[in-house]
Amino acid sequence: MSPRPRWLAPLALTATAALLFAACGTSATPSPAPSESAAPTESAAASESATPYEGMTYPTEAQVDCAAKTFNGTPYTGEIASITALAADVVEFKLCVPDVAFLPKIAFSSFAINDTAYLESAVPDGSIIEQPNGTGPYMLKEWVKGDHITMVANPNWYGDPVKAQEVVFKWSTEAAQRLVELQSGQVDGIDNVGPDDFATVEGDSSLKLYPRPGLNVMYVGMNNTFAPFDNEKVRQAVAMGIDRNRIVDNFYPPGSEVADYFTPCAIPNACEGPAWYDFDPAAAKKLLAEAGFPDGFKTKIHYRDVVRGYLPDPNVVAQDIQAQLKANLGIDATIDVQESGTYIDNANAGKLDGIHLLGWGADYPDMTNFVDYHFGGGASPQFGDKYPDLVDAITAGAQGTSDSARQPLYATVNELIKQHVPMVPVAHGGSGVAFKADVDGAHASPLTSEVFAVMKPGDRNQLIWVQNGEPSGIYCADESDGESLRVCEQMTQSLYQYAIGGTAAEPALATECKPSSDLMTWTCQLRDGVKYADGADFDANDVVLSYAVQWDAANPLHKGRTGDFTYFPGLFGGFLNAPPAE
């Protein structure tokens, strides 16, 4: 296995220690939010109001039976049992199983909190998809489809004043074009500097490069409901027949490494168990013959022409894999390029019938973010039918309460991923962002969640950022694309957030979330005096409903751009009233 880059070492903290600090509301990293005040011993709302607070509980009419794994008599695979607004500023989450990764999960932008009245009005007519109403430092001014998104300072923002009064997001699929715009002074920052342009940026005194650690994976996926990928030997043959070293050596920037495991080794327990198959075309051909395809077969290579940190040049990588499949295995693959949003929708729906190129960047540094989302009980049908033994191992790993307890469980998870080959991990891609040298507060996030509110572009009041693609939508409860999520993160907030330029989960709309000793009840004290961009007050019922509309597939507000809400079941195990598998 390739050695880990030394710059990843600081991230390889034990998950348990990091989460214990986060649970206490402790942070060593500055945050755009103001300093936390001590949580009151009694709810301020309850003591100041003569009218008892009518707190919502969800679910309301039936209960989750954790032991039977049912809800209202129907099968239920999720980990959440109930969510209750105990007071205007207190929310309680009851779980069916312990979850040591609860805080970094609730920090993710997909679980941003929305105003109850806004959900009730903007979800039915679909306006929430293009018009968020958040509590974050910015609010939407305009979205000119195909050209740009402009955000302006939110007058109701409770935190430190934003450094730039206006932030403009633009997009271009071409790394060279993004760099030209930065060099010419048209923009202030760009995402994913091209692999050949790192030296150019570093050699230009008017620019500054910010490397981004490779907490990601690029993979070649296969859906086992489509022949011949329903045959495990075929998938194993593909795994052995692709020279991953060649791809990383030829097409990836500095800081990248060949992926010997699905999850980057900087994440605790990621690299337990057997490493991936060595490149062995002879053994691959033998397996393919045993599967009944001695002369190969015809298939497709699906991908989207969008640069990511895990895939810096999708066109050339796809062409190289096409050539390798032909030369090493006799597989004739035609290339199918799809529009980015359509491609993600098709992947989430399990409609990609050949092999497909995709990847994943860490949302938080825990195994659950990688393996639960992709292969767990609540995962989408991207890879086809689930592997029951792998689901069981993933479930057991997620419930471990310490790194040492989880270690053998994740060794089993990695062994089963290698056996079943739902995908072939290719690379953990190093990447970088670049800014004008005069942008104070500029940074790269290992989670690709840069915070623009802390950046001051010289003497300018407008900061212009160019990323790889246009958002599909900006109701990010129902989006899974990084281009959408980064936009949402400037305008909406979750109960927790990630440290600027780091991975630690810190308080945001909650000042603190405390676990019970068994990690099965989490009680969150909410921040006082928060308002949404439209002036509405934030309270505990907003938290309950924001989770409920994602959690319950039968809720009338369980609607978004696609209605998939893939993050919720992926990270919390399953929906209430889950629709039957197709």
Side-chain angles (χ1 to χ4, degrees):
M1 184 177 72
S2 302
R4 255 187 290 167
R6 285 176 292 177
W7 37 257
L8 282 184
L11 295 174
L13 303 172
T14 66
T16 303
L19 293 173
L20 286 176
F21 279 119
C24 297
T26 302
S27 170
T29 307
S31 163
S35 299
E36 312 299 339
S37 57
T41 56
E42 181 181 0
S43 165
S47 63
E48 294 174 5
S49 174
T51 303
Y53 180 69
E54 296 184 4
M56 179 188 301
T57 294
Y58 210 89
T60 56
E61 298 179 356
Q63 291 186 335
V64 170
D65 187 330
C66 293
K69 297 184 178 180
T70 61
F71 169 67
N72 200 21
T74 62
Y76 174 61
T77 61
E79 71 172 50
I80 298 179
S82 66
I83 309 174
T84 302
L86 298 179
D89 57 356
V90 181
V91 175
E92 178 187 77
F93 293 79
K94 284 190 173 294
L95 310 181
C96 289
V97 294
D99 189 351
V100 71
F102 181 78
L103 290 181
K105 285 181 182 179
I106 66 170
F108 185 49
S109 52
S110 180
F111 306 124
I113 306 305
N114 287 279
D115 174 52
T116 296
Y118 193 73
L119 285 170
E120 291 172 346
S121 64
V123 168
D125 67 11
S127 58
I128 196 170
I129 299 169
E130 298 181 4
Q131 179 65 60
N133 174 38
T135 60
Y138 290 103
M139 57 188 288
L140 186 70
K141 178 181 178 181
E142 64 178 4
W143 181 358
V144 178
K145 293 294 184 68
D147 190 77
H148 71 273
I149 289 174
T150 301
M151 293 169 276
V152 296
N154 178 2
N156 293 317
W157 167 237
Y158 60 83
D160 295 334
V162 299
K163 302 296 185 181
Q165 293 301 301
E166 192 169 276
V167 172
V168 178
F169 272 53
K170 298 178 72 69
W171 40 85
S172 172
T173 59
E174 298 296 328
Q177 178 62 32
R178 295 195 297 273
L179 180 58
V180 166
E181 292 186 36
L182 183 64
Q183 290 173 317
S184 66
Q186 299 177 57
V187 305
D188 299 291
I190 62 172
D191 196 17
N192 286 330
V193 177
D196 298 328
D197 295 329
F198 275 49
T200 300
V201 174
E202 290 178 313
D204 188 334
S205 61
S206 69
L207 308 178
K208 188 170 181 180
L209 179 72
Y210 295 84
R212 183 187 282 144
L215 290 183
N216 60 48
V217 64
M218 176 266 175
Y219 57 81
V220 175
M222 291 165 281
N223 186 314
N224 65 17
T225 62
F226 295 106
F229 302 108
D230 54 346
N231 188 314
E232 192 161 274
K233 288 186 176 181
V234 169
R235 300 193 303 273
Q236 291 173 348
V238 172
M240 296 180 193
I242 296 176
D243 186 346
R244 297 169 298 126
N245 282 282
R246 165 175 149 169
I247 293 170
V248 173
D249 289 345
N250 289 335
F251 309 121
Y252 276 75
S256 304
E257 61 178 341
V258 173
D260 281 326
Y261 296 85
F262 181 64
T263 307
C265 291
I267 292 175
N269 289 320
C271 296
E272 299 297 332
W276 201 250
Y277 300 97
D278 291 330
F279 173 54
D280 190 339
K285 283 283 288 183
K286 184 172 183 286
L287 269 177
L288 208 57
E290 292 174 1
F293 301 95
D295 300 317
F297 53 85
K298 295 183 184 296
T299 189
K300 301 172 186 174
I301 298 176
H302 306 284
Y303 72 97
R304 54 177 178 164
D305 184 13
V306 175
V307 173
R308 287 290 184 272
Y310 56 74
L311 186 52
D313 195 334
N315 294 304
V316 298
V317 171
Q319 291 164 13
D320 189 77
I321 291 174
Q322 179 188 41
Q324 288 201 43
L325 291 175
K326 179 62 176 174
N328 301 336
L329 297 170
I331 296 174
D332 287 309
T334 57
I335 285 179
D336 171 42
V337 185
Q338 300 182 13
E339 185 275 328
S340 180
T342 300
Y343 182 69
I344 294 298
D345 293 346
N346 285 337
N348 288 336
K351 294 180 178 179
L352 300 178
D353 56 351
I355 69 173
H356 61 275
L357 308 188
L358 248 180
W360 187 255
D363 302 310
Y364 57 90
D366 189 84
M367 281 289 283
T368 56
N369 184 233
F370 282 79
V371 297
D372 290 52
Y373 182 86
H374 289 88
F375 316 119
S380 78
Q382 177 186 347
F383 303 105
D385 295 333
K386 295 179 177 64
Y387 303 95
D389 54 353
L390 179 55
V391 170
D392 289 345
I394 287 171
T395 301
Q399 295 174 19
T401 56
S402 69
D403 284 342
S404 59
R406 301 169 91 190
Q407 182 176 353
L409 302 170
Y410 283 122
T412 300
V413 167
N414 286 331
E415 182 176 7
L416 291 171
I417 291 173
K418 181 179 179 180
Q419 174 191 328
H420 295 310
V421 196
M423 53 78 240
V424 179
V426 176
H428 303 307
S431 63
V433 301
F435 287 89
K436 290 180 180 177
D438 70 350
V439 178
D440 184 55
H443 60 273
S445 165
L447 306 178
T448 67
S449 56
E450 288 76 22
V451 178
F452 295 98
V454 302
M455 300 184 192
K456 174 59 177 170
D459 59 359
R460 305 174 297 282
N461 283 323
Q462 183 188 70
L463 186 146
I464 304 176
W465 165 261
V466 184
Q467 59 184 26
N468 309 301
E470 183 172 11
S472 300
I474 45 179
Y475 175 39
C476 282
D478 192 32
E479 299 295 340
S480 60
D481 185 75
E483 311 298 8
S484 299
L485 297 172
R486 191 192 277 110
V487 173
C488 292
E489 287 158 358
Q490 315 310 315
M491 296 183 282
T492 62
Q493 288 185 289
S494 304
L495 293 176
Y496 270 54
Q497 64 191 6
Y498 303 116
I500 297 172
T503 60
E506 302 177 338
L509 288 178
T511 59
E512 185 178 48
C513 289
K514 284 187 173 182
S516 59
S517 59
D518 61 3
L519 300 180
M520 291 177 62
T521 300
W522 291 79
T523 305
C524 297
Q525 179 69 49
L526 305 185
R527 188 180 298 279
D528 187 40
V530 175
K531 291 183 178 292
Y532 293 91
D534 68 357
D537 293 322
F538 161 68
D539 74 356
N541 280 341
D542 297 341
V543 178
V544 177
L545 188 61
S546 293
Y547 275 82
V549 300
Q550 295 192 54
W551 181 21
D552 186 357
N555 190 295
L557 298 181
H558 185 79
K559 297 177 181 178
R561 189 179 60 82
T562 66
D564 291 336
F565 293 93
T566 57
Y567 269 111
F568 197 95
L571 300 185
F572 287 113
F575 292 124
L576 292 178
N577 298 306
E582 295 183 359

